[in-house]
């Protein structure tokens, strides 16, 4: 019996990338490859790249080095967003044999016929206009939750963002296919599904390979709520202008959708929002938060924000800071603006010095700590349901409540991937919340 070839994967970037890596890995397994951990020696290493942050570019070279340290004859393939945007650059990295763009990555096994090392990385990347068909995917990460991709690409033209260049136009999975994937996931005893995509509020567009719309994001949410066997559904990031009141109201009384929203803001200054070509003003954002608080006072609301965008003065930044400080939100994801080739913002005037960007970022990260603490404090004394994770961290097991409060209790393997009713009692010194079990299991 000939030895099976081994393949290992490394994913940079977002949850969407993780769900796509899982799908690519299943394709390899269908072709008879054995999947091994990236830390092990493999015949092929596949690196799924990201274009959103600066570090992702630098990390790529280090990951290639790591792979070749484990097997200097290994075949190294780069796929994903950065591979679509700058294929030649990745192909020139020592040891890279194959670079596949946005549409080719799902057919990777077709390109790997010969595993001998190439002098120079071979590039197959389409014109991004050709990335107009949809490939569904989902990942099963740590047994307790899965990331289910429902949409890809984006029609928005935010001036700082390369994602439309890396992933193409907005297109969606057919509703019956999403429901089929959700049912498949639920049969594997996974308790939580996180919906992912590039712009999931745009769901429905491109369902038929054109711009015709049969379904909307609200239709998707309603249909998923009825899938048997799923305990929890979580909406990942959704644009404020696409998060409609009807959706918020539906989530509030839904069987499975949890009270947790992650809504990108990017700036609390209308002037900067316009320069970014975002599709709303800050007043819309305030309305979304008020609506969520009205129907789900205990909901967790996360915010994405970018600091140091070109033209952001101290006054603009303080506008953002005060806006967020006054807003009833639960935590922030802070991104320090970094220039991206072929974006409008990269050539704008008013470049903010790096040390100023870093200082602003630090201020908002401090605000995030304060907000999360206040949110956790508001939850002490309440009864919640927790889903336990699978990792033993220094003798403790952690889990998340439906409204995304992180809790901990001494390690007990029997709790892994189970749901329990608890009462939140106090915040520990590391910031996680302690609790008491209520005498019911879910």
């Amino acid at each position: 019996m000939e030895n099976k070839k081994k393949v290992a994967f490394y994913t940079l970037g977002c949850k969407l990338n993780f769900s796509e890596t899982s799908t690519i890995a299943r394709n390899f397994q269908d072709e008879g490859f054995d999947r091994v951990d990236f830390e092990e020696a493999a015949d092929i290493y596949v690196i799924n790249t990201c274009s959103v942050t600066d570090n992702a570019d630098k990390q790529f070279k280090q990951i290639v080095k790591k792979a070749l340290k484990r097997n200097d004859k290994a075949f190294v393939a780069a796929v994903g967003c950065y591979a679509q945007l700058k294929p030649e650059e990745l192909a020139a990295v020592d040891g890279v044999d194959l670079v596949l763009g946005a549409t080719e990555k799902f057919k990777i096994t077709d390109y790997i016929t010969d595993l001998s090392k190439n002098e120079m990385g071979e590039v197959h990347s389409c014109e991004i206009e050709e990335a107009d068909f949809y490939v569904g995917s989902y990942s099963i990460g740590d047994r307790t939750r899965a990331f289910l991709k429902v949409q890809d690409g984006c029609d928005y033209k935010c001036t700082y963002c390369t994602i439309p260049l890396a992933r193409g136009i907005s297109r969606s999975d057919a509703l019956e296919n999403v429901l089929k994937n959700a049912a498949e996931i639920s049969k594997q005893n996974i308790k939580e599904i996180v919906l992912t995509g590039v712009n999931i509020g745009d769901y429905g567009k491109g369902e038929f390979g054109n711009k015709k719309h049969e379904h909307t994001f609200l239709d998707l949410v309603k249909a998923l709520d009825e899938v048997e066997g799923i305990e929890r559904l979580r909406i990942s990031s959704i644009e404020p202008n696409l998060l409609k009141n009807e959706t918020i109201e539906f989530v509030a009384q839904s069987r499975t959708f949890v009270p947790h929203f992650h809504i990108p803001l990017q700036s609390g200054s209308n002037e900067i929002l316009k320069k970014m070509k975002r599709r709303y003003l800050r007043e819309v954002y305030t309305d979304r938060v008020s609506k969520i608080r009205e129907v789900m006072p205990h909901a967790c609301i996360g915010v994405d924000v970018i600091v140091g965008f070109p033209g952001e003065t101290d006054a603009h930044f303080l506008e953002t800071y005060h806006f967020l400080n006054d807003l009833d939100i639960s935590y922030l994801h802070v991104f320090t603006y970094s220039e991206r080739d072929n974006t409008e913002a990269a050539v704008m005037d008013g470049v903010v010095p790096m040390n100023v960007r870093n200082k602003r970022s630090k201020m908002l990260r401090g605000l995030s700590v304060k907000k999360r603490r206040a949110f956790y404090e508001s939850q002490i004394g309440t009864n919640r349901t927790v889903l336990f994770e699978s990792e033993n961290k220094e003798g403790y097991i952690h889990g998340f409540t439906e409204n995304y409060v992180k809790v901990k209790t001494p390690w007990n393997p029997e709790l892994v991937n189970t749901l329990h009713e608890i009462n939140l009692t106090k915040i520990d010194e590391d910031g996680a919340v302690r609790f008491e079990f209520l005498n019911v299991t879910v």
Side-chain angles (χ1 to χ4, degrees), residues 330-331 367-377 404:
S330 317
Y331 65 89
L367 179 62
S368 181
V369 171
K370 194 179 99 174
K371 287 283 184 187
R372 193 184 295 268
R373 177 90 192 185
F375 174 60
Y376 281 11
E377 280 172 358
Y404 215 56

Side-chain angles (χ1 to χ4, degrees), residues 272 275 307-314 337-339 344-357 360:
I272 298 293
K275 285 189 79 170
V307 295
F309 187 80
E312 184 186 65
T313 60
D314 284 345
Y337 172 73
S338 62
E339 284 76 4
E344 275 183 67
V347 293
M348 283 181 182
D349 296 338
V351 173
V352 178
M354 211 29 116
N355 62 329
V356 177
R357 294 184 209 183
R360 288 175 185 171

